[in-house]
Amino acid sequence: MSSFYNERTVERTAIALSELLDGHPVATFVIDVDHVITHWNKACEHLLGWGTHEMVGTRQHWQAFYTKPRPLLADLIVDNIDPATDRNFRDKYKPSSLIDGAYEEEDFFPNLGAAGHWLQSTAAPLRGNDGKLVGAIQSLRDVTERRVAENALRRAHDNLEQTVRQRTAQLAEDIRQRQSAEEELRRRNIELTELNETLSRTQQQLVQSDKLASIGQLAAGVAHEINNPIGYIFSNFGTLQSYLDSLFCMLDAYQEAEAAIVDPVVAARLRAMRDQVELGFLRTDIPTLMQESKEGIVRVRHIVQDLKDFSRVDSQQEWVWADLRHGIDSTLNIVSNEIKYKADVVREYGEIPDIECLPLQINQVAMNLLVNAAHAIGSMRGRIEIRTGCDGEQVWFSVSDNGSGIAPDNLGRIFDPFFTTKEVGKGTGLGLSLSYGIVQKHHGRIEVESVLGQGTTFRVTLPKKRPPNEQKEATS
Ligand SMILES: Nc1ncnc2c1ncn2[C@@H]1O[C@H](COP(=O)(O)OP(=O)(O)OP(=O)(O)O)[C@@H](O)[C@H]1O
Ligand SMILES: [Mg+2]
């Protein structure tokens, strides 16, 4: 252990308060209970610019800080006044966390130096050995640099916040503009989609009328070409029938006269010839053949008539009053080849009045529905039922089949152009969309009911008359 610590007694030298304070680098002054300055250290002189000899013994400590007399923190302590009750200190002081009854304060003093100074003060009571208040001590630290830096920092911070606010507002505006641009785009897109749909509907109608026109022309051409030869075959057939009747009468007469032939050679030759040509058979078979041929020709004439009805080239795009049942019948004949090997067709026609329509186009609808029904029927022979009926101002026809049915997922799409479940080459997927367009043009509706695996019914309902405004358009 060093001798320093070994000393039993240490010589104690009392250090006078003024020496202590003068040696202390923090500006400090002391006042007594009468507010008279007792100490004003060197650091105080240096910081505040007032000398010790000017201040000690006076009550002028205020003048180092202010232009007019007013109490400092030390004065408040001496007078036992709570700074909270003094408007000069109320918002600036805080009690010291270290010393009971001491206060701290930070303030700007504009009269100090050239541009003023920020000072942090601490004032504490001084008590004698008996605990009685003998004065107050106040020390001051120049915190200008820190405050300036803090202020600069605050300003920078405020600027930054201002910039952030501006940017945020700008960003919000940008987002708003972008949203409205997106909204505008979406709107345009919807407009375009609608336009596109209108365009594709128009195109379908064009395709449709083109298709109808060419089918109609072809049908009309074929019908016209066949009509003439069938006409004379039919009339010749009538003549032929009467010639044959005469010939058979003549033969009967010859047969009766046969018994009178005396020459046995001639008689034998006649008999042999009759056996050879099988005259008995010919007599029964020729009328049968004639009857069958006649039926055939009647059917051909019928088909030709149907072709002409179906095409109606002469009144192709004209609204006329027509019986739906005739249109359906002629269409059935046209598509019979598609249907007859697959299904029995049952017609249950209810009474219906003529309606104002474009018959060629309605035939086209019936044809699509009939062919679809036939296609829906599988390998087993099926059944197609066609019904007509009348409901107030509306007339309807329906086509039902007991075929495959339509899957619920597909039900919403069957009227879409090009939607088909058929293999390539068998379906274009246009039939129902064209039919839909035609029915709409007639201000009617087309409805479907289907059970998968059991069958489907399409029902087309049409008004008896066109709306009056459309009729005016047509006549003007
Ligand atoms: N009666 C029906 N039974 C079952 N499915 C049907 C029936 N009618 C229509 N469909 C379904 O609706 C689809 C669309 O029919 P649509 O008539 O529009 O076209 P498509 O018959 O396939 O071809 P297209 O008629 O152009 O030759 C069909 O592919 C089929 O899947
Ligand atoms: Mg079809």
Side-chain angles (χ1 to χ4, degrees), residues 120-366:
Q120 192 190 55
S121 311
T122 310
L126 291 174
R127 297 182 192 279
N129 288 340
D130 53 359
K132 259 180 79 184
L133 188 75
V134 293
I137 180 166
Q138 182 160 351
S139 33
L140 309 144
R141 275 200 312 130
D142 189 350
V143 291
T144 308
E145 264 180 35
R146 196 199 79 211
R147 287 300 289 233
V148 167
E150 267 175 18
N151 283 349
L153 206 71
R154 191 170 306 121
R155 265 197 306 280
H157 184 257
D158 287 350
N159 282 345
L160 205 70
E161 277 202 336
Q162 172 72 5
T163 314
V164 168
R165 260 198 303 278
Q166 276 173 358
R167 291 266 166 88
T168 311
Q170 213 171 356
L171 217 73
E173 174 63 10
D174 280 1
I175 290 173
R176 205 191 52 72
Q177 280 181 0
R178 190 165 307 171
Q179 275 172 343
S180 81
E182 271 176 17
E183 190 51 44
E184 174 70 8
L185 247 148
R186 243 196 307 278
R187 208 177 50 71
R188 290 257 174 91
N189 196 24
I190 291 172
E191 268 176 23
L192 262 166
T193 314
E194 278 169 5
L195 199 72
N196 204 16
E197 273 169 14
T198 316
L199 216 82
S200 94
R201 264 199 303 277
T202 316
Q203 196 212 6
Q204 278 166 33
Q205 276 166 5
L206 282 175
V207 169
Q208 160 72 356
S209 53
D210 242 29
K211 195 168 156 186
L212 291 180
S214 43
I215 292 176
Q217 271 166 12
L218 186 74
V222 172
H224 181 77
E225 287 303 317
I226 297 176
N227 203 35
N228 279 350
I230 283 296
Y232 59 72
I233 290 174
F234 194 72
S235 93
N236 289 356
F237 218 79
T239 321
L240 201 64
Q241 182 75 55
S242 72
Y243 288 175
L244 272 176
D245 289 346
S246 312
L247 271 175
F248 280 128
C249 275
M250 192 66 205
L251 266 176
D252 287 343
Y254 277 135
Q255 217 164 352
E256 269 174 30
E258 215 181 292
I261 295 173
V262 282
D263 185 343
V265 180
V266 173
R269 214 174 53 227
L270 268 179
R271 239 188 338 271
M273 220 169 135
R274 194 168 61 230
D275 290 346
Q276 198 195 342
V277 300
E278 296 180 90
L279 192 65
F281 173 74
L282 287 186
R283 268 178 172 286
T284 54
D285 205 34
I286 284 176
T288 316
L289 287 182
M290 286 297 285
Q291 186 53 36
E292 281 177 3
S293 304
K294 196 168 168 192
E295 277 171 18
I297 290 165
V298 168
R299 265 178 55 200
V300 172
R301 263 174 49 130
H302 218 85
I303 291 171
V304 169
Q305 190 55 44
D306 285 338
L307 273 175
K308 282 169 80 180
D309 280 357
F310 180 80
S311 63
R312 300 188 68 146
V313 179
D314 46 332
S315 57
Q316 197 184 29
Q317 286 296 329
E318 270 182 27
W319 289 81
V320 292
W321 290 87
D323 187 334
L324 285 185
R325 292 169 295 190
H326 293 165
I328 297 172
D329 281 345
S330 57
T331 307
L332 256 179
N333 278 334
I334 302 290
V335 296
S336 75
N337 213 34
E338 292 260 7
I339 300 177
K340 69 181 172 200
Y341 302 111
K342 307 194 85 179
D344 299 319
V345 176
V346 180
R347 281 179 266 204
E348 286 180 13
Y349 290 167
E351 267 313 307
I352 49 170
D354 285 1
I355 64 163
E356 202 182 13
C357 63
L358 299 165
L360 175 58
Q361 299 203 351
I362 298 298
N363 289 353
Q364 187 75 30
V365 174

